[in-house]
Amino acid sequence: MAVTRRTSRDIRSESRLDVLHALLAAGEASRGDLAAVTGLSNATVATVVSDLLEGGIVTEARRTGGRIGRPTTTLRLNGNRGRIVGVDVAETYVRATVFDSALDELASAEIATDEHHDEHDYVADAIARALDDALEQSAVEGAPATRDDVLGVGISLPGGMQRRSEVAVVVPNAPWLHVDLLRERIGLPMVVDNPLKAIATAELWFGAGRRHKSMITVNLGTGVGAGIVLEGTILRGAQNGAGEWGHSLLALDGRKCRCGRLGCVEAYVGAAGIQQTLAAIAPEHPLAAVPMQREFIGALAAALEPPAHPALTETLELTARYLGSAIADLCAIVNPEMITLTGWTAWALGDHLVPAVRRRVLEEAPGHSASDLAIEVSTVRGNSVATGIATIALERFLGDVGLVTTRVPTAI
């Protein structure tokens, strides 16, 4: 196995990213503050800040002075450097979110899609429409943002888990194979990545990843997956497919999953799986027949407030048991310091689920693999996929201008 050697350029790149992470967390900080937080020397911080100022990535915010010594200049990310767009291509929608270059959200637009359609043109057109709509809603000094304002576009395209003759569990696979079509439709610098890598990136930049080097972000929604970070680095796998934990086995010969297998984790803790659990317990319960998944999860969360129907309480208990058992397997393999739950199911049900999930993990995880594990709902809210993929697009832009050496998996 070849050993990758870190050059002085790589070390300087890492220092720049450390400073950017610290500024993003603080909002505004002096050079001395940045040195204290990052552990870098004052001289290194001064050099890094000079590079970032020259590139227009950071800007001086204000000068503060005391009675003694020189005034202190505070710094912040330069949100006016340009616009970054994150596009979340999900099972039933394409959502584009426009951020400024300080990664503050400005506007978003959503296009509804049909998960049974994964034709190249269909998906590429939805991406382009969502992008244009979001830019139109994003104002730059009173005027809508244009493509000239965009530094980069990140597109989250899941794919790769469906079997022949099954509905694609993650739509679509097609655009991965037709980047030329995407390039033609979008006409802007782009990165394409997997949503699990996107949520892990969002957690690294904005959430628990700031405090933990080995962690897992579990995404709960229609689909289920895990973004895995080991020693501060996102685990990608040989073909960028690491983290498809939702399609690992929970129950031998169990429920049929959308991917075609029997007994997948997703078939029990995905939104449809939770509704199926309720239907098995109380088929006559009105929530068992709610047609829309998000509507079902929202109604379930509201109905769990005391006094809750016994069938709903049992549904939650079983879901926590399934989820806790599946997370215990992750602990046995990865041994993380921290697990965060994200996605619209986690945000709706997380407060109800976490205590029971934590107990189940401690019961099921082998040895001491979960003895010091923290489990909580992610503090990264909004669309964490769009936020994460936009962050990856920003990293690509920083690489394009020579400030970092991060290797973006699919930059086009």
Side-chain angles (χ1 to χ4, degrees), residues 371-396:
S371 57
D372 296 320
L373 178 71
I375 303 176
E376 64 184 39
V377 178
S378 173
T379 57
V380 182
R381 294 305 175 95
N383 188 318
S384 58
V385 173
T387 299
I389 199 67
T391 304
I392 294 172
L394 177 61
E395 290 180 344
R396 181 252 166 93

Side-chain angles (χ1 to χ4, degrees), residues 118-288:
D118 63 358
E119 299 87 356
H120 311 164
D121 287 339
Y122 178 80
V123 178
D125 284 345
I127 292 170
R129 286 167 52 205
L131 171 63
D132 288 335
D133 288 353
L135 287 174
E136 188 173 345
Q137 295 178 38
S138 171
V140 179
E141 295 182 354
T146 68
R147 287 171 175 258
D148 291 338
D149 300 310
V150 177
L151 304 177
V153 178
I155 301 176
S156 168
L157 284 176
M161 295 306 298
Q162 79 277 12
R163 292 186 171 187
R164 289 176 186 238
S165 78
E166 300 295 333
V167 172
V169 300
V170 280
V171 297
N173 293 311
W176 280 102
L177 307 178
H178 292 267
V179 293
D180 287 341
L181 175 61
L182 277 176
R183 184 189 295 112
E184 178 184 337
R185 296 291 172 87
I186 304 304
L188 292 166
M190 286 190 302
V191 295
V192 177
D193 211 342
N194 181 290
L196 299 176
K197 314 309 180 293
I199 62 171
T201 300
E203 204 68 45
L204 275 174
W205 280 69
F206 298 94
R210 292 169 168 173
R211 307 183 306 276
H212 301 280
K213 288 194 173 184
S214 293
M215 52 159 287
I216 298 172
T217 299
V218 169
N219 188 51
L220 301 175
T222 299
V224 172
I228 302 170
V229 176
L230 293 176
E231 297 302 316
T233 301
I234 295 172
L235 181 66
R236 292 188 171 276
Q239 297 176 330
N240 204 39
E244 291 292 351
W245 158 79
H247 299 287
S248 61
L249 187 67
L250 179 62
L252 185 64
D253 297 327
R255 296 176 186 171
K256 187 172 184 178
C257 180
R258 292 181 303 154
C259 73
R261 293 184 71 201
L262 299 179
C264 288
V265 172
E266 182 182 295
Y268 293 85
V269 301
I274 298 172
Q275 190 171 29
Q276 191 172 342
T277 297
L278 172 60
I281 294 168
E284 75 290 345
H285 196 285
L287 289 187

Side-chain angles (χ1 to χ4, degrees), residues 271 274-275 278 285-309 311-313 315-316 344-345 347-349 352:
I274 298 172
Q275 190 171 29
L278 172 60
H285 196 285
L287 289 187
V290 173
M292 303 300 291
Q293 292 180 9
R294 289 197 185 210
E295 183 182 344
F296 162 70
I297 292 295
L300 175 60
L304 284 169
E305 298 302 323
H309 190 286
L312 301 183
T313 301
T315 296
L316 187 80
W344 42 270
T345 295
W347 300 328
L349 299 178
H352 298 285

